[in-house]
Amino acid sequence: MPPDAPLSPRAAATRRRILDAALAEFAAKGLAGARVDEIAARAGVNKRMLYAHFGAKEDLWLAALEAAYAAKRAEEERLDVAHLPPREAMARLVSFNLRYTAAHPEFVALLNEENLHRAAHLRRSRDVPALYSPLTETLRAVLARGAAEGLFRTDADPLQLYLSIVALGHFTVANRHTLSALFGEDLGSEAALAAREAHAVAMVLGYLRP
């Protein structure tokens, strides 16, 4: 099915069910372990219908990845940080990235799996890089406003800062089971997440202080 072909409401709903089923199956079993039969059964369609919408299993995997990234970016955009004071905007971005990771283990699972494949499938995507280009520009604008108001340093690199923001939240949440075992504390509890969130916000704002 051509990717730009208009879909009827029924076809769009079918496609959405297949994609939701694929996200669940891939997150649970990875690319190699997931079975097209199981995805079709979850979605309530036959395999022929699945292949008509998405093509081969690897194409469905890429579509699931793209959907996962798009969902995160859609929520990130709703933060509307362009209309917030610079420090509040930055704190909101830090908190969002940590909380999103905690709320969406399927996103973590898909990213971990794709990294095992050295992003071989994601490199085929034209959509995901396009989603993230505006993000660095938004961050650049927040940094510029903060610097103009004397709140932020003037030499912060938007890309490096975003990588740090994501890392501060993602690493702890994605590895909370092993870290909890090592330190004898439930790092997935709400209290632990709140403490990590406050620490991450303080670190980023502290770095940005002129």
Side-chain angles (χ1 to χ4, degrees):
M1 181 174 294
D4 297 327
L7 296 175
S8 68
R10 182 177 179 180
T14 298
R15 186 178 176 89
R16 182 70 254 175
R17 289 201 315 275
I18 295 171
L19 199 52
D20 288 344
L23 281 165
E25 181 77 2
F26 285 137
K29 301 175 183 176
L31 176 57
R35 297 183 58 213
V36 173
D37 288 343
E38 291 294 329
I39 294 171
R42 280 176 183 258
V45 302
N46 57 46
K47 287 199 296 182
R48 182 176 179 182
M49 176 94 50
L50 184 151
Y51 290 134
H53 276 279
F54 290 101
K57 180 181 174 183
E58 287 74 16
D59 297 318
L60 180 55
W61 168 260
L62 177 56
L65 273 177
E66 289 177 332
Y69 274 106
K72 182 172 187 278
R73 281 296 294 125
E75 287 200 30
E76 207 160 29
E77 287 174 357
R78 284 195 286 271
L79 298 176
D80 198 20
V81 296
H83 295 93
L84 295 175
R87 287 176 61 85
E88 183 182 344
M90 200 62 65
R92 189 76 63 86
L93 280 169
V94 175
S95 295
F96 167 80
N97 276 279
L98 183 146
R99 291 290 178 172
Y100 191 91
T101 304
H104 294 275
E106 76 284 355
F107 184 65
V108 176
L110 264 63
L111 264 60
N112 287 346
E113 177 78 7
E114 183 62 8
N115 273 288
L116 291 176
H117 293 277
R118 298 179 181 270
H121 308 92
L122 194 60
R123 292 182 197 281
R124 294 166 44 205
S125 175
R126 291 176 296 179
D127 294 340
V128 174
L131 288 171
Y132 278 77
S133 294
L135 175 62
T136 54
E137 291 309 310
T138 297
L139 193 54
R140 191 186 306 276
V142 173
L143 288 170
R145 287 194 291 117
E149 295 178 26
L151 300 172
F152 294 164
R153 60 194 295 167
T154 60
D155 60 346
D157 181 285
L159 174 58
Q160 292 301 324
L161 181 60
Y162 186 71
L163 293 175
S164 295
I165 288 172
V166 173
L168 283 167
H170 183 94
F171 178 83
T172 302
V173 176
N175 295 280
R176 64 188 180 278
H177 300 297
T178 51
L179 292 172
S180 295
L182 287 172
F183 294 106
E185 180 179 345
D186 181 8
L187 297 179
S189 69
E190 175 54 34
L193 287 173
R196 184 61 188 168
E197 181 180 9
H199 180 78
V201 168
M203 285 195 70
V204 171
L205 293 181
Y207 162 73
L208 290 173
R209 191 178 300 122

